[in-house]
């Protein structure tokens, strides 16, 4: 999933504009992949090798990945997934002209706008796919 969106779904598009659907697919895919990796790491039923533990640490313990997965940002994920605003959102901050309704800085204070949030998503997606590709190679260095 991560490799597909990283390679096939553009964000921004060729004209430098952000498309809601493309960003949504990229963000939700990344969120799901990181969430699944967190579950794998925390589930004691699975005995992970030291190599697997290192890869999961490399992916999940970065500040960028933690920003994406922060509990305070989950309502942003829910908005993208379920198409409704969190009831705690100040409606004056909603911008219907913005592809993600001006919510990027509301849920991700380190991001001033969608472009900043997209940079964060791009960074985490690239590092996650790189680490997972290396992890998938037999005898890889990770």
């Amino acid at each position: 999933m991560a490799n597909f969106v990283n390679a096939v779904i553009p964000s921004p598009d060729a004209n430098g504009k952000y498309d809601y659907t493309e960003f949504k697919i990229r963000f939700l895919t990344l969120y799901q992949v990181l969430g699944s990796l967190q579950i794998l790491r925390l589930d004691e039923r699975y005995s992970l090798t030291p190599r697997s533990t290192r890869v999961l640490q490399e992916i999940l313990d970065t500040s960028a990945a933690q920003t994406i997965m922060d509990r305070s940002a989950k309502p942003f994920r829910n908005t993208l997934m379920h198409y409704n605003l969190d009831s705690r959102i100040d409606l004056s901050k909603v911008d219907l002209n913005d592809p993600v309704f001006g919510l990027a800085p509301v849920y991700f204070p380190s991001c001033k706008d969608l472009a900043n949030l997209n940079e964060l998503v791009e960074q985490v997606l690239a590092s996650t796919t790189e680490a997972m590709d290396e992890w998938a190679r037999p005898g890889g260095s990770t």
Side-chain angles (χ1 to χ4, degrees):
M1 287 175 17
N3 278 324
F4 179 80
V5 299
N6 196 39
V8 177
I9 308 289
S11 185
D13 68 14
N15 298 320
K17 298 202 181 225
Y18 293 96
D19 178 81
Y20 171 78
T21 301
E22 292 167 351
F23 178 82
K24 173 184 171 172
I25 290 169
R26 292 175 68 78
F27 181 89
L28 291 175
T29 298
L30 177 60
Y31 191 94
Q32 183 62 41
V33 167
L34 294 176
S36 295
L37 293 174
Q38 283 180 337
I39 290 169
L40 177 63
R41 179 163 72 171
L42 297 174
D43 193 332
E44 295 178 5
R45 294 176 295 173
Y46 300 105
S47 177
L48 298 175
T49 65
R51 180 174 179 246
S52 294
T53 300
R54 280 192 308 275
V55 171
L56 291 174
Q57 180 180 6
E58 179 183 329
I59 294 169
L60 297 171
D61 291 350
T62 66
S63 63
Q66 290 175 357
T67 297
I68 296 289
M69 296 303 294
D70 191 275
R71 292 184 60 78
S72 67
K74 188 168 185 177
F76 180 77
R77 175 259 180 217
N78 291 345
T79 294
L80 294 180
M81 183 64 128
H82 303 294
Y83 298 107
N84 56 345
L85 289 172
D86 186 87
S87 61
R88 297 166 287 194
I89 286 294
D90 176 358
L91 295 179
S92 70
K93 295 185 182 207
V94 175
D95 178 359
L96 296 178
N97 295 314
D98 184 82
V100 293
F101 318 110
L103 298 176
V106 172
Y107 290 111
F108 302 94
S110 63
C111 299
K112 68 177 182 171
D113 56 19
L114 175 57
N116 282 151
L117 178 56
N118 186 67
E119 288 173 21
L120 183 68
V121 169
E122 294 292 320
Q123 174 190 350
V124 177
L125 192 54
S127 63
T128 298
T129 57
E130 183 179 325
M132 290 180 72
D133 287 347
E134 180 65 27
W135 189 18
R137 287 189 208 110
S141 62
T142 307

